[in-house]
Amino acid sequence: MADNGISSSNQINNSVLIQPTNLECKNLYDYLTTRPQNVLEKLYNRPTICLAVYRELPELARQYVIRILFVEQPVPQAVVASWGHQAFSKEHVYVSKVLSNLYVWQEASIPGGLQGWILSSTFKHNLKIALLGGGKPWSMSSALDPDNKARDVAFLDGYSAERWECVLHYMVGSQQQEGISADAVRILLHAGLMKRDESDGSPVITRQGFQFLLLDRQAQVWHFVLQYLDTVEQRGLDLAECLTFLFQLSFSTLGKDYSTEGMSPRLLIFLQHLREFGLVYQRKRKAGRFYPTRLALNITSSQSKGTQVLEEDVPKGYIVVETNYRVYAYTDSNLQVALLGLFTDLLYRFPNVVVGILTRDSIRQALRGGITAEQIIGYLTQHAHPQMLQSEVGSALPPTVIDQIKLWELERNRLVYSDGVLYSQFLSQADFNVLREYAQSSGYLIWSNKEKRTMVVNKSGHDDVKKFWKRYSKGN
């Protein structure tokens, strides 16, 4: 018997298209739990970060922290559990795990053999400073003279929207993409939101990138900033310093100017990057002051209770889809038109309406780029015109259009590629039958041909099947 491994890059690429990974959007908790304990201890030396972490904890976890903040000895775990009703025991277990994963508290032994909880000394000390005052002044808290060219909230909103839409225009390949920085392009590629085209090397949007475009503005900014933070150490910047400044911005006041006096050179570089992304406005690099924009306010907040939502960030229905696959988009936004062009053949454009059509070729082109049928349907549904929502069929889109888009996707998914190992050249039919039965019973068999005495097992089961064959051969 001889065995030959079957594995090719084409098969791997095709399997990724069939079962692609989704965009992983992390909140502050998800991000911090990916950091090792020594990094978190370093971050917790900053009162601003401790306050931001405390604000984002579940409500029950905040209660636990504030109740033992001034307790200098471990509190029995049974006592902490008794602070809540037994009906909420699952919530207690969950928040205990959250606090442990973040190293906000840790287990400690109590005389008598009981186990207790005690807050991390670093977190406790710096959270007290954040809540009660004291410590070093913030890097941007220096006094400033009145600004002769002060900027109001309306200007800052327009500036931040313009800067952020530069990034989005670039992602969708719009003609209106001037002004994007090389740093922003590198982050898009690093995050997997765009990739280099195999033919000409130009950046093209990925499946995750299309999912990114469907997020609300605040979620987009937070995900983008997280991807940037992954690269700060490569840029020679300090992660703790950058995170501290970012959280200070999130606690700032919209429309108020802040001083750059006292900032380290590395922090000034970070400020310029935030300026490129639209999180802060600075008239000149050496102006000595800057204005945080709405994008930076409450950037980590998952509830966004205190943040006013921009009118343009609220999804508005502007798309009408007919049963003949015609698409009418009542918009004058170049970004929305470019998004629609990712999966639609655009026919006509007028001052306030764009006409396109969904075709097999346009959908297949989008599918080749990693966009799924569900994403296309979801986008059209999310932005459906109010009149479409009054449909009696129970769906904002015509059922025929939904079914056809899914069928066009199924055309590409008729084959499933798997890495495998080929077994052939068996000396007898009995040997082939024994090995095939073992592989099949173990769940390793992918394909077999009895007449040719040939079989393929998956790559993960190859070692196990090979060991079985050696044992069987020795026995005979």
Side-chain angles (χ1 to χ4, degrees):
M1 183 196 77
D3 56 325
N4 300 298
I6 300 177
S7 176
S8 75
S9 59
N10 289 336
Q11 291 174 336
I12 294 172
N13 290 336
N14 283 325
S15 66
V16 171
L17 284 177
I18 292 165
Q19 293 180 331
T21 55
N22 289 320
L23 179 68
E24 185 180 359
C25 300
K26 296 179 180 178
N27 54 28
L28 182 60
Y29 167 69
D30 295 329
Y31 173 72
L32 292 178
T33 51
T34 62
R35 308 289 103 179
Q37 183 177 1
N38 62 328
V39 173
L40 288 179
E41 285 292 328
K42 185 180 178 182
L43 295 178
Y44 291 158
N45 277 311
R46 313 279 181 143
T48 312
I49 295 180
C50 292
L51 180 60
V53 171
Y54 175 75
R55 282 175 38 150
E56 288 303 299
L57 289 173
E59 186 174 354
L60 187 59
R62 293 201 300 269
Q63 290 289 332
Y64 289 169
V65 170
I66 209 68
R67 290 186 73 161
I68 64 177
L69 183 61
F70 297 95
V71 179
E72 300 300 331
Q73 59 188 17
V75 179
Q77 293 183 7
V79 173
V80 175
S82 69
W83 292 342
H85 196 277
Q86 285 189 346
F88 298 95
S89 58
K90 289 184 179 179
E91 285 79 358
H92 166 73
V93 172
Y94 170 71
V95 299
S96 299
K97 183 179 178 182
V98 168
L99 293 171
S100 298
N101 290 343
L102 292 173
Y103 299 102
V104 170
W105 73 9
Q106 55 201 19
E107 285 189 344
S109 298
I110 300 175
L114 294 175
Q115 289 294 317
W117 294 115
I118 187 168
L119 288 181
S120 160
S121 57
T122 306
F123 184 86
K124 178 197 293 187
H125 173 71
N126 287 285
L127 182 60
K128 284 181 180 179
I129 292 176
L131 295 177
L132 305 178
K136 297 179 181 178
W138 285 8
S139 57
M140 57 188 203
S141 60
S142 303
L144 280 172
D145 295 330
D147 190 357
N148 295 330
K149 298 181 179 179
R151 302 301 186 181
D152 58 11
V153 174
F155 175 86
L156 296 175
D157 285 345
Y159 170 81
S160 61
E162 178 186 349
R163 294 305 308 160
W164 187 247
E165 286 192 2
C166 277
V167 176
L168 303 184
H169 276 293
Y170 185 82
M171 290 183 66
V172 298
S174 167
Q175 298 297 321
Q176 186 180 333
Q177 52 180 268
E178 62 275 357
I180 188 169
S181 66
D183 266 320
V185 176
R186 281 195 291 268
I187 294 169
L188 291 174
L189 294 170
H190 168 77
L193 302 178
M194 301 190 77
K195 64 180 180 182
R196 296 287 182 186
D197 188 78
E198 295 178 358
S199 58
D200 58 5
S202 60
V204 292
I205 193 169
T206 64
R207 179 177 189 266
Q208 292 88 343
F210 191 75
Q211 286 181 324
F212 176 82
L213 294 172
L214 299 183
L215 298 174
D216 61 75
R217 183 66 54 88
Q218 181 181 346
Q220 286 178 344
V221 174
W222 174 239
H223 182 76
F224 188 84
V225 168
L226 283 187
Q227 301 304 317
Y228 173 86
L229 292 175
D230 282 344
T231 66
V232 291
E233 294 179 351
Q234 301 170 11
R235 302 166 187 268
L237 306 179
D238 182 68
L239 176 62
E241 188 177 32
C242 292
L243 266 179
T244 299
F245 182 68
L246 198 61
F247 292 142
Q248 288 176 0
L249 286 179
S250 74
F251 300 142
S252 60
T253 303
L254 185 63
K256 184 179 185 305
D257 55 340
Y258 294 88
S259 173
T260 59
E261 185 179 349
M263 287 187 178
S264 67
R266 292 183 300 186
L267 205 54
L268 289 173
I269 293 174
F270 182 56
L271 178 68
Q272 293 307 313
H273 290 163
L274 296 182
R275 177 190 181 194
E276 292 172 2
F277 307 149
L279 273 70
V280 299
Y281 168 78
Q282 192 177 25
R283 192 169 64 254
K284 297 179 182 178
R285 283 177 178 263
K286 298 182 180 180
R289 70 180 77 227
F290 66 91
Y291 293 81
T293 69
R294 201 182 298 271
L295 293 182
L297 266 63
N298 296 318
I299 188 173
T300 63
S301 176
S302 55
Q303 287 87 7
S304 307
K305 292 179 181 178
T307 308
Q308 181 183 353
V309 179
L310 282 175
E311 184 180 352
E312 56 265 28
D313 289 346
V314 178
K316 296 179 181 178
Y318 62 92
I319 295 177
V320 173
V321 181
E322 295 183 337
T323 54
N324 59 1
Y325 306 105
R326 286 276 180 137
V327 178
Y328 300 87
Y330 294 89
T331 179
D332 56 3
S333 167
N334 291 328
L335 178 61
Q336 291 175 342
V337 173
L339 272 171
L340 206 59
L342 291 176
F343 53 86
T344 306
D345 283 337
L346 300 180
L347 302 177
Y348 318 110
R349 181 165 186 179
F350 301 103
N352 63 342
V353 66
V354 175
V355 182
I357 187 168
L358 296 168
T359 65
R360 181 174 180 270
D361 289 340
S362 68
I363 296 297
R364 285 175 64 86
Q365 181 179 353
L367 296 172
R368 281 194 294 270
I371 302 171
T372 66
E374 286 297 331
Q375 288 177 335
I376 295 172
I377 294 168
Y379 182 82
L380 294 174
T381 302
Q382 180 182 350
H383 297 282
H385 194 278
Q387 290 187 357
M388 298 286 292
L389 301 177
Q390 299 173 5
S391 171
E392 297 180 357
V393 298
S395 171
L397 303 180
T400 53
V401 174
I402 295 176
D403 293 342
Q404 187 59 64
I405 293 175
K406 291 180 178 179
L407 287 173
W408 282 329
E409 182 181 50
L410 289 175
E411 288 181 2
R412 302 184 72 249
N413 295 348
R414 288 177 291 185
L415 296 177
V416 176
Y417 295 89
S418 302
D419 287 341
V421 179
L422 174 67
Y423 287 76
S424 61
Q425 300 180 14
F426 289 88
L427 298 179
S428 68
Q429 189 68 36
D431 290 347
F432 172 78
N433 292 337
V434 168
L435 198 62
R436 185 187 64 173
E437 288 176 7
Y438 175 77
Q440 190 169 14
S441 62
S442 302
Y444 300 142
L445 186 65
I446 296 177
W447 173 86
S448 66
N449 187 308
K450 186 176 180 179
E451 288 74 21
K452 295 183 179 180
R453 296 180 188 174
T454 305
M455 56 184 282
V456 178
V457 302
N458 59 43
K459 205 168 185 179
S460 61
H462 170 51
D463 291 337
D464 193 14
V465 173
K466 193 173 182 179
K467 290 176 183 177
F468 172 81
W469 173 253
K470 288 181 179 180
R471 293 196 304 268
Y472 174 78
S473 299
K474 288 180 181 178
N476 291 339

